[in-house]
Amino acid sequence: MTILPLAYLPSVEYFTCLQRDECVVDLGEHFVKRSVRNRARILATDGVMELTAHVCHANRPGQPMRDVRLDYSKRWQHQHWGALTASYASSPYFEHYAGRFEPFYRRTYEFLADYDLQLLELLCTLARVPMPRLSDRYVEASEGDLDLRPKHTQGPAFVAEPYIQVFSDRRPFAANLSFADLLFAEGPDSVSILARCRHEASCCR
């Protein structure tokens, strides 16, 4: 089994596991600041860029993930959509999918968990992979489980299948960005590329 945190625009590795393994997303854990729960990595003209969804009281210890509220005191949604558009407007499939993503950067969500979950549902639909099982209680990892929650033991190395990214004429391949990077580049072929990604220790079967 693979144990995943709820994530904002999750990575290619995240979706590789959703495609191949029995997965559970842990909604019962505490929020971890500076983590995938509210951060995603995309490719910009200057290299890899990190997008951060702003949350209220990020430094509060032991805050349950389901209780974390989004903070709109800064225009992070506007900035994120601007970054996605600037980065991927020239990619083959951005225009095809843009209308599905843009509402997430116009609508106000109260809780980070609701925002992440609805984005995940969209991405799973586009990737043609099932939504993972959700757990409201903290998930204890057992021997043999792959635990991708930050602050847990480092799992086996992830090996991404290369694909042609935006700016590939000037930059080397950047592995394991947000699945959105792969989707905008390859569209429906993203599914077959996910199938060729792997973990060196074969934890995602």
Side-chain angles (χ1 to χ4, degrees):
M1 180 176 70
T2 299
I3 306 169
L4 300 164
L6 190 56
Y8 170 51
L9 291 176
S11 67
V12 171
E13 179 182 17
Y14 195 105
F15 274 85
T16 297
C17 289
L18 292 183
Q19 188 184 56
R20 299 180 181 174
D21 203 7
E22 177 191 354
C23 295
V24 58
V25 170
D26 187 354
L27 300 179
E29 64 168 358
H30 291 158
F31 175 74
V32 179
K33 63 180 182 179
R34 294 193 294 272
S35 74
V36 299
R37 293 158 184 82
N38 67 321
R39 294 193 177 195
R41 297 166 67 242
I42 66 169
L43 194 60
T45 53
D46 295 331
V48 176
M49 172 188 287
E50 195 170 75
L51 303 179
T52 302
H54 290 222
V55 299
C56 301
H57 310 300
N59 294 319
R60 181 182 294 169
Q63 185 176 193
M65 178 65 189
R66 67 175 69 85
D67 294 340
V68 176
R69 284 179 162 81
L70 289 163
D71 179 3
Y72 295 99
S73 61
K74 295 183 179 179
R75 300 181 66 199
W76 61 267
Q77 284 178 302
H78 175 78
Q79 293 166 359
H80 287 200
W81 185 243
L84 287 166
T85 301
S87 295
Y88 296 110
S90 62
S91 64
Y93 289 93
F94 179 77
E95 185 175 344
H96 180 74
Y97 294 120
R100 304 289 295 275
F101 284 87
E102 187 173 10
F104 288 94
Y105 300 94
R106 305 297 185 199
R107 176 184 168 188
T108 298
Y109 292 78
E110 183 175 3
F111 292 99
L112 174 63
D114 293 336
Y115 184 64
D116 284 353
L117 272 176
Q118 290 190 33
L119 259 176
L120 180 59
E121 288 174 357
L122 171 63
L123 289 166
C124 284
T125 298
L126 298 178
R128 300 201 296 275
V129 300
M131 272 291 288
R133 180 167 60 89
L134 306 177
S135 176
D136 289 327
R137 295 175 178 268
Y138 180 78
V139 180
E140 294 287 351
S142 301
E143 185 177 354
D145 288 342
L146 176 59
D147 194 343
L148 293 182
R149 293 171 295 185
K151 293 196 171 183
H152 289 263
T153 303
Q154 184 67 36
F158 176 69
V159 181
E161 174 76 10
Y163 53 92
I164 298 175
Q165 295 174 312
V166 289
F167 318 122
S168 60
D169 59 332
R170 69 194 83 163
R171 295 199 169 276
F173 178 71
N176 205 25
L177 301 179
S178 167
F179 175 70
D181 181 86
L182 171 57
L183 184 70
F184 295 149
E186 296 290 343
D189 288 343
S190 301
V191 178
S192 60
I193 291 172
L194 285 175
R196 296 196 295 273
C197 297
R198 67 188 189 279
H199 288 89
E200 289 184 342
S202 301
C203 284
C204 279
R205 294 184 293 274

